[in-house]
Amino acid sequence: MKLKEIGIAVVLALAITMALNVASVRAITGDVTGDDVVNILDIVAVAGVFGTHTGDPTYNPAADINSDGLIDIIDLVSVVINLTTAL
């Protein structure tokens, strides 16, 4: 495994761990679209604004699952976790 791949794996592992910690602290629905279902549409909604932050014209507060002002991997993983439990 190359150093870059190891770094990416570590970042993903940390993001998943953080998302699980956030999920245990407060209920995260993951329902970004507001249709009372956590599905692929919610993943697409987060992915569509991935990397945006408060103040960006395309920033979507509903996609900021942990409300930290940044749409990042933690938000995406939070939706995926809830997608899995919703099935």
Side-chain angles (χ1 to χ4, degrees):
M1 205 180 242
K2 296 179 185 175
L3 186 57
K4 182 178 178 182
E5 292 167 338
I6 292 171
I8 291 170
V10 168
V11 168
L12 281 174
L14 288 172
I16 290 168
T17 301
M18 290 174 68
L20 289 172
N21 288 338
V22 169
S24 68
V25 171
R26 77 168 222 219
I28 299 174
T29 66
D31 180 19
V32 177
T33 60
D35 61 359
D36 296 323
V37 179
V38 181
N39 58 25
I40 191 68
L41 298 176
D42 300 297
I43 294 171
V44 170
V46 174
V49 293
F50 192 88
T52 62
H53 55 82
T54 307
D56 283 345
T58 58
Y59 172 78
N60 178 358
D64 188 4
I65 305 297
N66 65 346
S67 301
D68 67 349
L70 174 66
I71 313 293
D72 58 10
I73 191 68
I74 296 170
D75 302 302
L76 189 57
V77 168
S78 297
V79 174
V80 171
I81 288 169
N82 286 289
L83 170 71
T84 305
T85 59
L87 297 177

